[in-house]
Amino acid sequence: MKECSHVFVLPEPEPTALSETCLECVAAGTHPVQLRKCLQCGHIGCCDSSPLRHATGHFKDSGHPIMRTFEPGESWRWCFADTVLV
């Protein structure tokens, strides 16, 4: 089974969210389907079901591998680098 090697280097405590929505979607005039929070810096981006996939774009631009859902009642985390739930 594949494991994530990045979870052990996440900052403690978890960074504060930098916004309440995907600001790139706001700037582009699109609507995010669901939100994701970068666990390295607190960036909020839209999920891959959104038209512009800003959470994935943030990973590709920054190299920050782990994000978590920023949806109420959800708590799962995803590592883009290892393509695995953590």
Side-chain angles (χ1 to χ4, degrees):
M1 176 157 48
K2 196 172 190 179
E3 293 186 20
C4 173
S5 59
H6 304 94
V7 72
F8 301 106
V9 295
L10 289 175
E12 291 281 337
E14 185 178 300
T16 302
L18 298 179
S19 64
E20 291 298 316
T21 192
C22 179
L23 297 179
E24 291 99 339
C25 280
V26 171
T30 62
H31 180 73
V33 175
Q34 290 193 337
L35 299 173
R36 309 292 182 240
K37 176 182 169 185
C38 174
L39 293 181
Q40 189 70 39
C41 70
H43 174 270
I44 301 297
C46 59
C47 74
D48 284 358
S49 296
S50 296
L52 300 175
R53 304 173 50 172
H54 291 116
T56 296
H58 177 73
F59 162 65
K60 290 177 179 177
D61 292 344
S62 69
H64 297 162
I66 302 177
M67 64 88 209
R68 76 164 173 82
T69 179
F70 198 59
E71 295 298 315
E74 296 180 2
S75 62
W76 57 269
R77 302 182 299 175
W78 176 257
C79 179
F80 285 102
D82 294 321
T83 61
V84 66
L85 287 170
V86 293

